[in-house]
Amino acid sequence: MSVSVRGTQLARLLGRWHALPARRRSPDYAALASAVRGLLADGRLALGVRLPAERELAEALEISRTTVSAAYRELRETGHLTSRRGAGSWTTLPNGHRVASSGLWMADDDLDLIDLSCAAMGAPEPMLAAAREAVEDLPRHLAGAGYHPSGITELREAVADYYTERGLATSPEQIMITNGVLHALDLILRLQVPVGASVLVESPTYPNALAALAGRRARISTHGLDEAGWDAELLLGALRQTRPSLAYLIPEFHNPTGHLMPPALREQLVATAQRTGTDLVIDESFVDLALDGQPMPPAVASFDRHGRVLTIGGMSKPFWGGLRVGWIRAAAPIVQRLAAVRVGVDTAGPVLDQLVAVRLLARSGEVIPARRAQLAAQRDALVEAVREHLPSWRITVPSGGVTLWAELDGPVSSALARAVEPLGVRLAPGPRFGVDGTLERFIRLPFTQPVPELVEGVRRIAAARYDLDRTGRPQWSEPALIA
């Protein structure tokens, strides 16, 4: 079943479309069509959504039906709308405008390269001490086979205690240790999502999650976030209409926008998922990275009474990406089934890495506050640099996480990413975080690099953006590897 948007909902998304630049130099119908195309390009209006009937939208916008009819006709002519008599009209993109959401990334030896494509920090200072202690603790595990599909007991207990301290009572039997957060998602998809099943994700979202879903050949539908975050009515409406098998969401300092989902929506989300038979995969990769001292809302799983919520998290963002340790928190029977699935994938994770994770989690009271202070300073420096060198860009300062989501002054994200690479900056353009070519007006800027690199990176980006406007036909080389 397709997601549909009502006239009042679309009118709210369109906002003051009369005030857009196209309105001043174009007829009403052309300005309306341009505004709808803008919503599609920005990812605020998903693809495959059925638009309201012409009369309904005309009443919501308080304009003539003739204007809406002409706007729909223009959208069909430009390939942004597909209509079928008696069935309605659905949002699309013109042929040739599909952009894949997967990509490869590898480290670069160029010391002058400022890599703003990877949102991760180096290892914290206690990493070496934790590793040494883990090696000393290893001998007591050597007598066994070393295969622990659900993870070693010490780490499962430590992660369970971590959730309990957050107010979410958890037993070790509810925890499965994985080789990172993405591995956790992959195992869940193998167990819970049949090939071709419907899955709901946010737009924008984590690119590697989209790649994992594509690998399962899932039918992906999207909920578009705006500058304020999630639209509760649209998100819950999408769940009710599509009744997806699974929904993948990032409610804590969303990647890439940095939004934090309010408590009321968390509770409504779980209740709606129960009614629609949808499993919720909640990615808590950034939950420990609140940067402004604000209290955190209850975990989404705290509202779950029916085993619908599977929470994934890991060591990558608060500690170190090189320590490939993640976890799944779910009902104990689901954890047992996930372990059975894992036996056919990679059997078990490295014991030594898990011992290091145990030691680092014991030091979280030392590591996490230092990380927060470091990231807050780097965030503030990045915001100041963007406002100084790229004043026409719009940014919402996140209260946590590791990334800024910047709205550009034009749909040039991919072109800008290509143009800035010869200047020694690597960027992840907006379309990498969406599906089918949307989000060209956005770009993700992580603040995980030292302040001097962030400031210099913004200066180079500003220079490339200026050159884009001055060059008629830029001759950019296509990078071999794109994050």
Side-chain angles (χ1 to χ4, degrees):
M1 182 178 180
S2 299
V3 175
S4 61
V5 59
R6 297 198 301 271
T8 53
Q9 293 173 328
L10 183 54
R12 186 169 67 252
L13 289 174
L14 288 167
R16 298 179 59 195
W17 64 276
H18 279 279
L20 297 175
R23 171 68 181 91
R24 296 194 294 269
R25 61 177 182 268
S26 305
D28 283 354
Y29 76 87
L32 178 57
S34 177
V36 173
R37 283 193 294 268
L39 291 176
L40 283 168
D42 294 350
R44 283 174 278 185
L45 184 62
L47 299 176
V49 170
R50 186 169 64 183
L51 295 188
E54 295 172 0
R55 186 185 302 278
E56 180 185 350
L57 182 57
E59 292 175 354
L61 295 176
E62 298 181 351
I63 58 177
S64 72
R65 181 179 176 180
T66 303
T67 298
V68 176
S69 179
Y72 278 18
R73 182 173 62 252
E74 178 171 315
L75 290 169
R76 285 190 291 270
E77 291 172 352
T78 59
H80 293 87
L81 201 64
T82 297
S83 301
R84 191 167 67 246
R85 185 178 296 275
S89 299
W90 289 265
T91 54
T92 57
L93 280 183
N95 292 334
H97 283 252
R98 297 176 64 86
V99 177
S101 57
S102 62
L104 297 175
W105 176 87
M106 64 184 299
D108 199 299
D109 294 330
D110 184 357
L111 296 180
D112 190 45
L113 179 72
I114 299 174
D115 190 354
L116 298 180
S117 66
C118 185
M121 296 180 288
E125 186 176 344
M127 181 73 196
L128 283 177
R132 292 191 186 100
E133 293 172 5
V135 171
E136 294 173 359
D137 198 29
L138 184 60
R140 65 187 182 87
H141 290 268
L142 296 180
Y147 297 131
H148 304 274
S150 296
I152 63 172
T153 301
E154 298 100 307
L155 185 52
R156 296 177 75 190
E157 290 175 345
V159 174
D161 290 344
Y162 160 80
Y163 279 108
T164 300
E165 290 170 4
R166 287 176 51 198
L168 184 60
T170 303
S171 67
E173 291 74 25
Q174 292 178 268
I175 300 298
M176 177 178 182
I177 305 302
T178 64
N179 295 328
V181 178
L182 189 59
H183 182 227
L185 175 61
D186 180 73
L187 290 174
I188 292 172
L189 295 180
R190 290 172 183 266
L191 177 66
Q192 304 287 85
V193 180
V195 172
S198 174
V199 175
L200 177 69
V201 301
E202 296 141 329
S203 179
T205 192
Y206 177 42
N208 291 335
L210 292 174
L213 290 168
R216 292 298 299 166
R217 288 183 283 172
R219 291 185 293 109
I220 301 174
S221 57
T222 60
H223 164 69
L225 275 66
D226 57 27
E227 60 185 15
W230 298 263
D231 184 307
E233 184 181 358
L234 289 176
L235 174 58
L236 301 179
L239 281 173
R240 296 186 191 103
Q241 293 177 44
T242 61
R243 306 182 75 88
S245 173
L246 180 144
Y248 168 78
L249 304 170
I250 312 174
E252 280 87 19
F253 311 120
H254 175 265
N255 181 16
T257 67
H259 291 307
L260 182 63
M261 184 180 287
L265 180 53
R266 293 166 183 249
E267 185 173 9
Q268 293 173 314
L269 179 65
V270 174
T272 303
Q274 171 60 23
R275 289 193 291 269
T276 60
T278 301
D279 290 320
L280 297 177
V281 177
I282 302 300
D283 188 340
E284 288 191 340
S285 294
F286 305 93
V287 69
D288 293 312
L289 299 179
L291 304 183
D292 295 331
Q294 69 273 39
M296 290 296 292
V300 173
S302 65
F303 300 104
D304 182 28
R305 301 293 180 270
H306 304 280
R308 284 288 176 191
V309 177
L310 295 87
T311 305
I312 59 179
M315 307 291 290
S316 295
K317 300 307 178 183
F319 294 94
W320 186 44
L323 185 62
R324 303 309 302 150
V325 173
W327 50 75
I328 303 169
R329 182 200 180 275
I334 294 179
V335 168
Q336 293 174 1
R337 292 166 61 198
L338 285 166
V341 169
R342 183 180 190 171
V343 169
V345 178
D346 68 344
T347 306
V351 172
L352 183 57
D353 286 15
Q354 295 180 62
L355 290 173
V356 174
V358 171
R359 298 295 184 172
L360 275 179
L361 285 174
R363 290 174 165 84
S364 60
E366 171 189 355
V367 174
I368 299 301
R371 289 299 212 196
R372 289 172 178 166
Q374 176 187 354
L375 286 168
Q378 292 170 182
R379 175 200 60 185
D380 295 345
L382 178 59
V383 168
E384 182 179 353
V386 171
R387 287 174 173 168
E388 178 183 354
H389 297 286
L390 293 159
S392 60
W393 288 17
R394 295 178 59 191
I395 53 175
T396 299
V397 181
S399 61
V402 298
T403 60
L404 284 184
W405 186 239
E407 182 176 358
L408 314 185
D409 51 353
V412 296
S413 181
S414 296
L416 181 61
R418 292 190 294 266
V420 80
E421 185 134 346
L423 301 181
V425 177
R426 178 179 286 142
L427 290 174
R432 286 296 175 200
F433 302 87
V435 294
D436 296 326
T438 60
L439 303 171
E440 273 290 1
R441 289 184 63 91
F442 293 87
I443 207 158
R444 187 186 74 168
L445 298 173
F447 42 87
T448 49
Q449 302 290 347
V451 169
E453 292 190 18
L454 293 174
V455 174
E456 178 60 25
V458 171
R459 287 180 181 145
R460 297 182 190 181
I461 293 169
R465 179 67 188 97
Y466 176 70
D467 287 343
L468 278 183
D469 288 336
R470 296 175 64 242
T471 305
R473 295 178 61 84
Q475 301 297 316
W476 296 314
S477 60
E478 187 71 25
L481 296 168
I482 304 175

